[in-house]
Amino acid sequence: MTEKITAKQNTGFSIVWLAVTYVAAATMVIQCRSIWMHLRDYGPWVNRATALILGLCLMALAFRNDGEKGVPGIRWSSVKTGIIVMLYLVLFVLLDPVNYRRALRCGLLLCAFVIFLESRGGGEKAASLLAAFRDVVVIVAGVSVVCWFLLSLLHLIPYPWSGSVYVDWSDDGKIIWRTHFMYIYYETQWFITGYVARNSAIFVEGPMANYIFSLAFMTDVYTQDGRSPKTHRWCRVILALAMLTTFTATGWFLLALMWIMKNLPDVRRKRRSADSFREHLAQEKKMILLAALVLAFVVLLLWNKTTTESSSIRMDDIRSGFKAWLSSPVWGVGFENTPYIARFASPWRLSNLGYSNSPVEVLAEGGLMLFIPYAWAIVRGASGSTRSGSYAHIAFEICFLVLFAVTIVPYQYITMFMVCMLMKDMIRFNGGRP
């Protein structure tokens, strides 16, 4: 009887911890520039709520210890590391107190991630949180693909669907309205104006949706998971469809790059083990084809980024970002101080003032004080991938660097989580080829 009661209690606690993990994953998805974060009336409250809920969930998971009974999961060493990180960020805020509340909020969440990852059983907890993130994104992606097909492509339900909301995310910074369906799907950008919209799901624009979908797709492909191959196939189909329907060059390029990296090891292995000249020649042709595909996609991506209006904006973002950084190279112009950096933009930029990539944003706003820690963490993760010899680890690192370089996500919680995990080499990658 006692054993049965204990088993029920353990099952109950497991369900509670699982729920806490999924809540933490959901808050990271919501905070990555979802529409709800930018609602005119409720956006600031959603922002504070996601930070508070995620922080509490991370601390609760950090305290959890399934190994030694009566011993808290948090290690004193992780607390010391968190204090050092927070003191560094406090120094940064004191030197440049622009938007200091938001800066300190990100700092507190970064400390929570450090304590969570360095807690007892941190590797297993991190793997569970990453898997939960993937599951939440698969649900969001599935709903968005269905809504995009039925509403944005076939237009089965006439406008205005369920209604509209006012948001503060626009090219000129003004309040605009966005059409929604039951608050679970929003139209924010057009692929063919008036006919086909981009699938931006619950996010402010297609690139943000693609960033989340891509991270989940990479997680499913390259990390270890005990789920069945059939489940993985369905997850990848849903996420790939979601990435394609965002109609972003980055998403399409990333899918092609991952496909090429998946097939490259097979071609190389077959070429080395070819018994006849004909087989060897056939594998050589495949290698040339794969190399040509890589070159073609790189050229296509560069052409897309350099022959459209967005290319001019991207190049001007880089120029204005560097000019802003040079005005304060050590500690930058201030956390999320976009209005100040807009002064360095070209005169023809009447709208769409901001950034187009994370590295320039970090360098301009945080100077060397913020850029060096980011660069060190990413370089350390990259060097760890080469040392590990894991093909999946290297491929994941390459894909993440591509996403980070072309998307504005340096202060999003999921980005901070990924950077910390890569730096500490805590992601369990598949062995051999992806």
Side-chain angles (χ1 to χ4, degrees):
M1 181 65 71
T2 304
E3 292 179 355
K4 291 183 179 180
I5 294 174
T6 304
K8 289 182 179 180
Q9 289 176 343
N10 291 335
T11 303
F13 281 124
S14 298
I15 294 174
V16 170
W17 289 123
L18 186 64
V20 172
T21 303
Y22 274 87
V23 169
T27 56
M28 289 194 294
V29 173
I30 293 171
Q31 194 270 342
C32 195
R33 301 194 189 280
S34 70
I35 282 283
W36 305 321
M37 296 287 292
H38 293 274
L39 293 174
R40 179 188 62 181
D41 300 322
Y42 304 105
W45 293 100
V46 176
N47 201 331
R48 298 185 190 102
T50 52
L52 178 62
I53 293 172
L54 179 58
L56 291 175
C57 289
L58 290 175
M59 288 297 96
L61 292 170
F63 267 107
R64 178 189 177 188
N65 183 14
D66 293 333
E68 304 175 42
K69 293 184 178 180
V71 178
I74 292 181
R75 290 189 173 96
W76 171 240
S77 59
S78 66
V79 176
K80 290 191 291 185
T81 304
I83 291 173
I84 292 172
V85 171
M86 197 63 208
L87 289 176
Y88 185 87
L89 290 173
V90 168
L91 177 62
F92 168 74
V93 169
L94 290 175
L95 292 172
D96 200 347
V98 178
N99 294 323
Y100 67 93
R101 288 188 179 89
R102 280 181 283 180
L104 291 176
R105 186 187 304 150
C106 284
L108 288 172
L109 263 298
L110 179 59
C111 294
F113 278 123
V114 170
I115 294 172
F116 166 74
L117 292 174
E118 293 189 358
S119 64
R120 290 178 174 85
E124 291 77 11
K125 298 173 186 177
S128 298
L129 182 55
L130 194 59
F133 165 77
R134 187 270 319 276
D135 293 344
V136 171
V137 176
V138 168
I139 294 172
V140 173
V143 171
S144 71
V145 168
V146 172
C147 290
W148 177 84
F149 183 75
L150 296 178
L151 304 178
S152 298
L153 186 62
L154 299 182
H155 305 288
L156 294 182
I157 300 179
Y159 285 107
W161 298 343
S162 296
S164 59
V165 295
Y166 289 92
V167 298
D168 60 8
W169 183 276
S170 62
D171 291 344
D172 53 10
K174 296 180 180 179
I175 302 296
I176 57 174
W177 62 273
R178 296 298 190 194
T179 302
H180 69 84
F181 178 73
M182 304 294 291
Y183 296 98
I184 59 173
Y185 177 75
Y186 297 82
E187 275 191 351
T188 62
Q189 292 176 318
W190 290 100
F191 177 64
I192 301 176
T193 304
Y195 294 96
V196 181
R198 280 180 164 185
N199 175 14
S200 53
I202 59 172
F203 303 97
V204 293
E205 59 183 18
M208 290 301 158
N210 175 72
Y211 177 72
I212 287 292
F213 297 152
S214 298
L215 285 181
F217 188 78
M218 291 156 48
T219 299
D220 193 80
V221 171
Y222 294 128
T223 61
Q224 294 181 5
D225 197 318
R227 302 193 176 193
S228 66
K230 184 178 180 181
T231 302
H232 280 294
R233 281 195 296 270
W234 275 109
C235 289
R236 293 172 192 179
V237 167
I238 293 171
L239 292 169
L241 286 174
M243 292 170 65
L244 290 172
T245 54
T246 61
F247 295 103
T248 58
T250 304
W252 289 34
F253 173 78
L254 197 69
L255 284 173
L257 179 64
M258 292 176 68
W259 179 82
I260 291 169
M261 288 192 296
K262 179 179 180 180
N263 287 276
L264 186 60
D266 279 346
V267 175
R268 291 180 62 188
R269 185 169 55 252
K270 290 178 180 178
R271 186 185 63 168
R272 291 173 180 174
S273 60
D275 296 329
S276 64
F277 177 76
R278 180 176 294 180
E279 291 180 5
H280 185 80
L281 184 62
Q283 298 306 320
E284 288 287 354
K285 290 180 179 179
K286 290 183 180 180
M287 284 289 293
I288 294 172
L289 177 61
L290 287 174
L293 285 173
V294 172
L295 181 62
F297 276 110
V298 169
V299 171
L300 181 63
L301 184 65
L302 292 175
W303 177 83
N304 180 77
K305 299 302 182 185
T306 55
T307 59
T308 59
E309 182 183 358
S310 65
S311 68
S312 301
I313 294 174
R314 289 175 181 275
M315 294 306 297
D316 194 63
D317 285 341
I318 295 174
R319 286 193 293 267
S320 60
F322 271 103
K323 289 179 181 179
W325 171 61
L326 290 174
S327 68
S328 181
V330 178
W331 50 79
V333 300
F335 187 80
E336 294 186 347
N337 194 7
T338 305
Y340 181 84
I341 298 176
R343 302 176 187 176
F344 298 92
S346 298
W348 55 268
R349 294 279 299 280
L350 300 177
S351 64
N352 202 5
L353 295 170
Y355 299 100
S356 301
N357 62 84
S358 296
V360 173
E361 180 176 7
V362 173
L363 187 63
E365 294 180 352
L368 295 177
M369 283 196 69
L370 202 58
F371 183 79
I372 289 176
Y374 264 94
W376 174 75
I378 292 174
V379 169
R380 184 175 176 182
S383 63
S385 68
T386 57
R387 288 195 307 269
S388 69
S390 168
Y391 191 79
H393 191 170
I394 297 172
F396 187 95
E397 190 80 34
I398 291 172
C399 293
F400 179 77
L401 289 177
V402 169
L403 287 173
F404 186 78
V406 299
T407 318
I408 320 168
V409 288
Y411 312 128
Q412 312 318 119
Y413 300 152
I414 183 60
T415 303
M416 294 161 57
F417 179 53
M418 286 290 183
V419 170
C420 289
M421 289 189 71
L422 288 170
M423 181 187 69
K424 299 175 75 63
D425 196 16
M426 296 189 70
I427 300 179
R428 298 175 177 177
F429 294 101
N430 296 322
R433 60 161 248 182

